[in-house]
């Protein structure tokens, strides 16, 4: 019997995927907005996706997590030498002394240019001017500037903030809005 009520289930969120919003990959369906790298949450397409078991990654994160290890590897497109892959569950072989950020409120021009960068409020990595978005008074990578609940991309007009985290207006209303008869 045909499924008249909708489409396939999304491989990321499990909700119904209708044809107009569907992306298919490896025999599975995804909402366009759910077709994101498991690690960095970048939008994926057929040219940037890498699949491991049932998980989807961008090629950069896939290479860091599953690519060859050793000198000369893991430094391909989009990978910084300093990124040892801890967010991916990769344990560094040796632990260098931790970098302590400066507490000087007026860093020198040298420090501003070579290491005094702001940190993204979502992932904690350095945010450079070309990729920076300010929301809720804090810096974010453009790709990290997403709702903490549903992962939807945000803009200054669709953003709501609670306790330092950012949400789309729908998730904010569902989770923090008034409760009771006549509400949500």
């Amino acid at each position: 019997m045909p499924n008249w009520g909708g489409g396939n289930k999304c491989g990321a969120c499990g909700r119904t995927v209708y044809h107009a919003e569907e992306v298919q990959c490896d025999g599975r369906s995804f909402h366009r907005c759910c077709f994101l790298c498991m690690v960095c949450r970048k939008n994926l397409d057929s040219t940037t996706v890498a699949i491991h078991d049932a998980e989807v990654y961008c090629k950069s994160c896939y290479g860091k997590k599953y690519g060859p290890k050793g000198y000369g590897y893991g430094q391909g497109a989009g990978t910084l030498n300093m990124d040892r892959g801890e967010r991916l569950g990769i344990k560094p072989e040796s632990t260098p002394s931790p970098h302590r950020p400066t507490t000087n409120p007026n860093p020198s021009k040298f420090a501003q240019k070579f290491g005094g960068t702001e940190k993204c409020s979502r992932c904690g990595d350095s945010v450079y001017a070309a990729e920076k978005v300010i929301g809720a008074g804090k810096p974010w990578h453009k790709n990290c500037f997403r709702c903490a609940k549903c992962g939807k991309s945000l803009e200054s007009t669709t953003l709501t903030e609670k306790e330092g985290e950012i949400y789309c207006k729908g998730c904010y209303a569902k989770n923090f809005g008034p409760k009771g008869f006549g509400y949500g």
Side-chain angles (χ1 to χ4, degrees):
M1 184 166 172
N3 182 1
W4 299 108
N8 299 318
K9 298 294 180 196
C10 177
C13 73
R15 294 185 305 219
T16 300
V17 182
Y18 296 96
H19 184 69
E21 61 187 350
E22 184 176 35
V23 174
Q24 290 193 340
C25 177
D26 199 33
R28 293 184 300 153
S29 296
F30 294 87
H31 293 105
R32 228 180 264 329
C33 63
C34 292
F35 195 48
L36 305 170
C37 174
M38 303 279 299
V39 176
C40 70
R41 310 298 292 165
K42 286 182 185 171
N43 287 314
L44 299 172
D45 62 38
S46 62
T47 63
T48 60
V49 70
I51 303 163
H52 185 85
D53 295 330
E55 299 174 332
V56 292
Y57 298 92
C58 70
K59 289 183 177 179
S60 178
C61 290
Y62 178 86
K64 285 184 234 174
K65 188 162 185 169
Y66 299 109
K69 305 291 185 274
Y71 184 76
Y73 292 106
Q75 297 174 17
T79 307
L80 297 174
N81 283 342
M82 293 163 46
D83 184 353
R84 297 184 310 274
E86 287 91 345
R87 291 183 303 162
L88 305 170
I90 300 168
K91 302 281 186 239
E93 292 178 18
S94 64
T95 306
S97 62
H99 170 70
R100 299 279 181 230
T102 180
T103 55
N104 182 353
N106 296 311
S108 68
K109 292 288 182 197
F110 181 84
Q112 289 175 2
K113 188 172 183 181
F114 296 106
T117 61
E118 296 176 284
K119 302 297 182 195
C120 175
S121 300
R122 172 75 29 87
C123 71
D125 288 345
S126 294
V127 181
Y128 299 98
E131 59 186 355
K132 182 165 82 172
V133 176
I134 298 292
K138 299 186 295 185
W140 308 79
H141 290 109
K142 287 177 186 172
N143 288 328
C144 293
F145 197 58
R146 299 179 171 280
C147 175
K149 291 283 185 190
C150 71
K152 185 187 300 183
S153 290
L154 297 172
E155 296 174 14
S156 60
T157 58
T158 61
L159 159 75
T160 53
E161 183 265 339
K162 182 171 177 71
E163 298 173 359
E165 192 51 85
I166 56 176
Y167 304 92
C168 68
K169 290 182 177 183
C171 287
Y172 183 89
K174 276 192 273 185
N175 291 281
F176 308 111
K179 306 284 186 268
F181 184 75
Y183 294 103

